[in-house]
Structures are given as structure tokens and as C-alpha cells.
Amino acid sequence: MRFTQIYLTVFKKMASELKKVAIVGSGNWGSTIAKIVGSNVLSNPKFDKQVKLYVYEEIVDGKKLTEIINTQHENVKYLPGHKLPENVVAIPDVLEVAHDADVIIFVVPHQFMPNTCKPLIGKLKKDAFGVSLCKGFYINPKGDVDLISNMVRNLLGLECLVVMGANIASEVASGQFCEATIGSRNKSHGLLLKEVLQTDYFRIVVSEDVEVVEACGALKNIVAIGAGFCDGLNFGDNTKAAVIRLGLMEVMKFCDRFYQKHEHRTFFESCGVADLVTTCYGGRNRRVAEAYARCLGQKTIPELETELLNGQKLQGPEAAQEVNHLLRSKNMENDFPLLTAIHRICSGEQPVTSLIDNLRNHPEHL
């Protein structure tokens, strides 16, 4: 009897020391991350084997999406054709998912992050840390533009890492080789997260340039809209290459202006030029922007988002608006002519055909 009690005590202590990973968000990228994390924790003795996945409840073919995921082990709406590990458990309550987690991975459209996080205020483990895979900015209550990771820090009191990279969700879910960049100043947390995410087909690099890693992930979606406009206006790859080059210049200038302590080599990690190129050729922002240009504004971008994306959300137009808010407040719109032009086209202030004039008149040196 005494031996049994000792065994149970030791077992409970060991179980309590296992790191629990929770994922908040179950779109195509969130479901892909759940597939990776669910597999990785099964083979790593540091982690609890169950991965809780927050799912915004929807009815799909007459059934709750959480029930479909928990019985069929597939997100049939956002990641069809890809099985999730059976240790991934879909839950429609964000607090139930995150309250006892040690690592909380946020993968929701950035514009929904404040409302998603509010139920978690003051209810998380003190030594937990967050991870943002959200690509956008945040306008705080003071009206200032800030990073999503800073919103998590300020609202939830958590350290927040970021993960950005050239990652089309369907390709990652299929096991095609790709890379991503973790932004973390805490080396131990960065390496722990690397264990959570890295596979033989998903290579991870850890960088201390947290702000630049995150800003690149947000800004590239704006440039991708410009690339989509090129496609919709039937410009060729040469024109698109100009958009990508000028966009990269403005991304680097933006980071130089607002995040001064960083290394330029970060722009050549997966979070930088690789993510920019991938998104300009294969992302949803490019796709909707192409459709917008082809119809010459006869349909709005929100209408096309609903029509084309099966419930997924665009990040580029929102990010363009947030960046423009910042640039306008600092009288810097003319310093970032491509980012400014893309915002004005998205907001309907300028016709999509004005993009080419912006390219012709873009200064040679920023």
C-alpha cells in the first residue's frame, strides 16, 4: 500500500511537470500547427500528450465543427483532406483551452485577437508564455499602432514569442519542406518552442529580433496585395518583381525607422524575403487582390473575401489600414509610397489602375 502511494505521488509530480501546449485558433494555419504539435508532443517526454485546440464553433453539414474534429480527426472546413492526431482535442471555450497551458499558441486573424484574449485576463498560469502566429498590427486604446505580441504582453501579462515564415498552410500540412523563424529574446523559451514545432520537413531558426520577425510577417501581406493587383491588371512577372523589390525596400525601411536595434540578416531569414516572395505568389491576399483588380472595383474587397475564402479572413487590408494610421500620424506617408498607395486602393480612395503610376514614380532611393 505504501509503495502504491509513493508511486502515485511520483507519477502525479511527473505529470504536473509536463509542459502543456494549447492552440488558440483552428483555421487552415491553426489546424496545420495542431497537426505538427500533436505529433511532436507524442514523441517528446517533456510534454503532456493532449493538445487542446480552441475552435470557434460552427455548424458544418448539420454538425458542430468541434464534434467533427473530435470524431473524424479532420477540420473538414478549413483543412480538408489532412488528418489531425487523435490527441488534438477541439474545444469551443477559449478559457478551457488555455487556463492550464504552459505554451499558448495564438493563430487567429489579428483583428480578432483583443476579443479572443479578453476572457483569459488574469486566468492563466503565471509562468506560461504566449506565441503569436498572427500577422498584423494592433491599435491600442491610446490610438497608437503596436505589435500583436506587445498586446499579448500588456493584456495578459505573458511573455510572447512570434513565429513567421514562408508557410502556405496546405503545403506544410502535406509535409512539403519549408522553414519558419521564431522570434524570442528568451533563449530557453525559444528552444522549447522549437521542440514543439520543428519536424524533418519544417525547419525552425530562432532569432532575437522579435519586432522585425513580427513586422515582416505583417507587412508582407500588404505588399502581396500589390502583387495581386499586378496579376489582376495582367502585368507580367517583371512588374510583379518590381512590386516585390520596392515592397522589400519599404519593409526594411519601416523596421529601420521603428525598430532600430536589429540585424539586417533577419530580413533574409524565412520571416523576411522568403515569406514575402511566397505570399506574393501563393497567398490569399494576392488571390483576392487579383480578383479585385480584374473586376476593376465592381465588387468590394470584403465581398470578394466572402466569395473566395470559405470563411477565412484577409490580413493585408487591415494591416494596410493600421500601418497607414501610424504613417499618417507621423507625417510619413510620402516616405512609404507603395504601402500608402496600396492602402488607398484598398480603401477606395484611388482606383486600382493607379498602382502602375506609383511604380513609375517611386523614388530610386528611399
Side-chain angles (χ1 to χ4, degrees), residues 145-363:
V145 175
D146 206 346
L147 297 168
I148 295 294
S149 61
N150 286 336
M151 187 216 77
V152 173
R153 290 185 188 99
N154 295 331
L155 199 62
L156 301 180
L158 299 181
E159 177 197 0
C160 189
L161 286 60
V162 298
V163 179
M164 304 288 158
N167 308 135
I168 301 297
S170 60
E171 296 181 11
V172 181
S174 296
Q176 297 182 33
F177 181 82
C178 63
E179 301 175 310
T181 310
I182 292 173
S184 176
R185 289 194 186 86
N186 184 313
K187 185 175 181 180
S188 63
H189 286 171
L191 293 176
L192 183 69
L193 181 60
K194 183 174 181 177
E195 290 187 55
V196 172
L197 294 177
Q198 182 159 271
T199 71
D200 58 354
Y201 62 86
F202 192 43
R203 183 166 61 189
I204 305 293
V205 173
V206 181
S207 168
E208 294 183 356
D209 280 347
V210 181
E211 291 90 352
V212 170
V213 171
E214 184 172 1
C216 283
L219 294 168
K220 58 94 180 184
N221 281 330
I222 307 175
V223 182
I225 292 174
F229 290 157
C230 283
D231 293 338
L233 294 170
N234 293 317
F235 296 135
D237 285 339
N238 292 340
T239 308
K240 195 179 204 177
V243 169
I244 294 172
R245 184 188 75 84
L246 295 171
L248 178 60
M249 289 175 62
E250 292 195 14
V251 168
M252 294 174 71
K253 182 177 180 179
F254 186 95
C255 293
D256 287 343
R257 289 284 183 91
F258 296 106
Y259 314 114
Q260 295 179 1
K261 294 182 179 180
H262 63 267
E263 298 183 24
H264 269 211
R265 70 180 185 184
T266 304
F267 296 110
F268 300 96
E269 297 291 353
S270 185
C271 63
V273 65
D275 196 7
L276 177 63
V277 171
T278 296
T279 307
C280 286
Y281 278 91
R284 70 185 71 158
N285 291 280
R286 186 220 62 80
R287 181 185 174 195
V288 172
E290 177 185 6
Y292 181 74
R294 289 201 185 283
C295 74
L296 294 176
Q298 296 302 305
K299 293 182 179 180
T300 67
I301 287 178
E303 287 172 341
L304 291 166
E305 177 185 60
T306 300
E307 182 179 313
L308 297 174
L309 297 186
N310 189 36
Q312 297 180 77
K313 294 296 181 182
L314 290 178
Q315 305 296 288
E318 291 274 353
Q321 182 180 24
E322 292 150 1
V323 167
N324 188 257
H325 177 89
L326 173 62
L327 297 179
R328 190 170 63 252
S329 71
K330 297 184 177 297
N331 197 29
M332 288 185 178
E333 286 181 296
N334 291 336
D335 294 337
F336 298 88
L338 182 62
L339 297 180
T340 298
I342 291 170
H343 163 69
R344 289 175 178 171
I345 293 171
C346 288
S347 64
E349 297 174 48
Q350 293 180 1
V352 68
T353 51
S354 67
L355 178 71
I356 193 66
D357 293 326
N358 178 274
L359 298 179
R360 291 192 184 103
N361 297 322
H362 199 285

Side-chain angles (χ1 to χ4, degrees), residues 5-20 45-46 48 125:
Q5 290 177 334
I6 293 173
Y7 175 81
L8 289 174
T9 300
V10 172
F11 180 80
K12 288 179 180 179
K13 185 176 187 298
M14 291 174 60
S16 67
E17 292 175 349
L18 295 176
K19 300 295 184 183
K20 295 183 178 181
K46 292 182 182 178
D48 190 280
K125 293 177 71 170

